[in-house]
Amino acid sequence: ILYPRDPGSRFDFDYYTRKHMPLAIALLSHHPGFRAASVERAMDGVEPETSPAYIAGCFFTFDTVDSFFAAFTRHADELQADVRNYTDIEPLIQFNEVLITAVA
């Protein structure tokens, strides 16, 4: 889930990281296909002191796309209703296949 950078938009990272994402993780992690979740805040664009294309990203890992939908669908109304509490940005959703993971 990516949040495009829009200079006129609002994104409350405090609410997002302290309220919304803990709620989302608590609800979705009960599904047996859930593997992980992470949240990232953009810092800079490619060149130093340039703006990034996205302000934030949330990355859920499930064993399949169907597992994500099974977990999300039952909580979609609650989670989507909470979006207005932290942003007015329309999120972009994309599904990826993880090919490589490295952990230090």
Side-chain angles (χ1 to χ4, degrees), residues 18-89:
R18 292 178 187 247
K19 303 280 186 183
H20 182 78
M21 283 308 299
L23 172 65
I25 291 167
L27 294 173
L28 301 181
S29 67
H30 290 292
H31 190 278
F34 176 86
R35 298 294 178 255
S38 65
V39 172
E40 298 179 11
R41 179 191 334 225
M43 296 171 55
D44 284 317
V46 175
E47 297 294 322
E49 299 183 30
T50 62
S51 298
Y54 300 93
I55 191 167
C58 164
F59 304 94
F60 286 103
T61 304
F62 279 81
D63 58 358
T64 66
V65 173
D66 289 339
S67 289
F68 170 80
F69 279 117
F72 181 75
T73 302
R74 59 187 300 208
H75 304 291
D77 290 342
E78 181 178 3
L79 293 171
Q80 289 175 328
D82 192 47
V83 170
R84 69 177 174 264
N85 291 319
Y86 64 88
T87 192
D88 56 2
I89 298 170

Side-chain angles (χ1 to χ4, degrees), residues 4-11 55 87-89:
R5 183 183 166 279
D6 180 352
S9 295
R10 172 185 64 84
F11 197 97
I55 191 167
T87 192
D88 56 2
I89 298 170

